[in-house]
Amino acid sequence: MKYTLLFFIIPFFSFAQVDTVKAVVIKENKSKIDSIETKTYTDYENGYSIEKPKWLKINPELPSNRYGGTIPAVEGIENAIMITALKKNRYENFNDFVRIFITGNKFGQPTLFNDQFIFYGRNEKDFKKIKHGVASRLFYMYKNKIYHNQFVLLETSSSYLFVHFSSTPETYDINIKKFNEFLKGLTVE
């Protein structure tokens, strides 16, 4: 009976997320295994899918509620892009989610979303309403370094998504184009 129960439980969990970023192919020389990059990552549980840009280096060690990686280095600096899916019941509503990640933070104080980051400001004119959510550029300090960020907060049918682009001041203008390209491949249900 134990084996029958596992048979029914395992397929249920395997459909929660489909990661088609890596597929293993065994060539005729069976001692060599290669990875083939595919294009789409779908998270059914959290209501989104993303077409992976060729340049994005995926971090395979992320928890199951996160997807992302790094942009190719510019002058030895790699910037990061991350999607974090958060359950709606952790927040009062979408406005509360926005308050914690963007609007409720105060200059010089630890951010509401992570007390290791010191909020360094944002420009109100950078705050924009977009389809399924909002976006804003903001700044924080971490370990005595200032980071320029673009936060995109989205609501899916089942979760809130925190889509985060983090960079140094020197690389923001160069890599924001790549982040915008990444966003064009994001579909929200």
Side-chain angles (χ1 to χ4, degrees):
M1 186 67 171
K2 287 182 187 177
Y3 298 109
T4 305
L5 180 60
L6 286 176
F7 175 77
F8 289 111
I9 292 174
I10 292 171
F12 174 76
F13 288 111
S14 67
F15 289 113
Q17 293 178 330
V18 177
D19 184 355
T20 56
V21 174
K22 289 209 174 189
V24 177
V25 175
I26 301 174
K27 293 189 173 188
E28 284 184 31
N29 178 357
K30 296 191 184 224
S31 65
K32 182 172 175 147
I33 298 176
D34 289 335
S35 291
I36 295 176
E37 293 290 324
T38 58
K39 292 186 177 187
T40 306
Y41 173 84
T42 301
D43 184 335
Y44 292 108
E45 181 178 346
N46 293 300
Y48 76 94
S49 64
I50 183 79
E51 287 188 39
K52 179 194 161 298
K54 291 179 183 180
W55 45 260
L56 184 65
K57 181 181 173 187
I58 297 298
N59 180 344
E61 298 177 15
L62 295 173
S64 63
N65 71 322
R66 292 186 180 184
Y67 175 83
T70 56
I71 297 171
V74 173
E75 297 181 24
I77 301 168
E78 288 184 321
N79 296 160
I81 296 175
M82 185 72 53
I83 299 174
T84 303
L86 302 159
K87 296 298 175 197
K88 288 183 174 183
N89 63 8
R90 293 178 58 179
Y91 306 92
E92 292 177 24
N93 52 39
F94 188 73
N95 288 335
D96 186 46
F97 179 61
V98 172
R99 178 187 65 80
I100 289 170
F101 282 87
I102 299 175
T103 61
N105 291 291
K106 298 190 180 345
F107 184 82
Q109 299 296 313
T111 62
L112 298 174
F113 59 90
N114 186 329
D115 62 1
Q116 294 183 19
F117 301 142
I118 303 300
F119 189 68
Y120 207 70
R122 70 180 184 93
N123 189 329
E124 189 64 38
K125 72 178 183 176
D126 290 333
F127 185 84
K128 295 176 177 59
K129 290 189 179 200
I130 58 172
K131 187 176 180 179
H132 301 287
V134 297
S136 185
R137 182 176 181 179
L138 58 90
F139 311 91
Y140 60 67
M141 186 179 291
Y142 177 68
K143 295 186 178 180
N144 294 323
K145 292 183 182 178
I146 296 174
Y147 290 88
H148 291 221
N149 303 273
Q150 183 71 30
F151 284 10
V152 177
L153 307 180
L154 303 170
E155 183 173 11
T156 74
S157 58
S158 58
S159 301
Y160 294 137
L161 301 181
F162 169 42
V163 187
H164 180 196
F165 164 60
S166 180
S167 71
T168 63
E170 302 82 19
T171 57
Y172 182 88
D173 289 335
I174 296 166
N175 283 328
I176 190 66
K177 295 171 189 145
K178 289 206 180 298
F179 181 63
N180 289 331
E181 180 185 334
F182 177 83
L183 290 175
K184 286 180 184 175
L186 180 63
T187 304
V188 173
E189 297 174 12

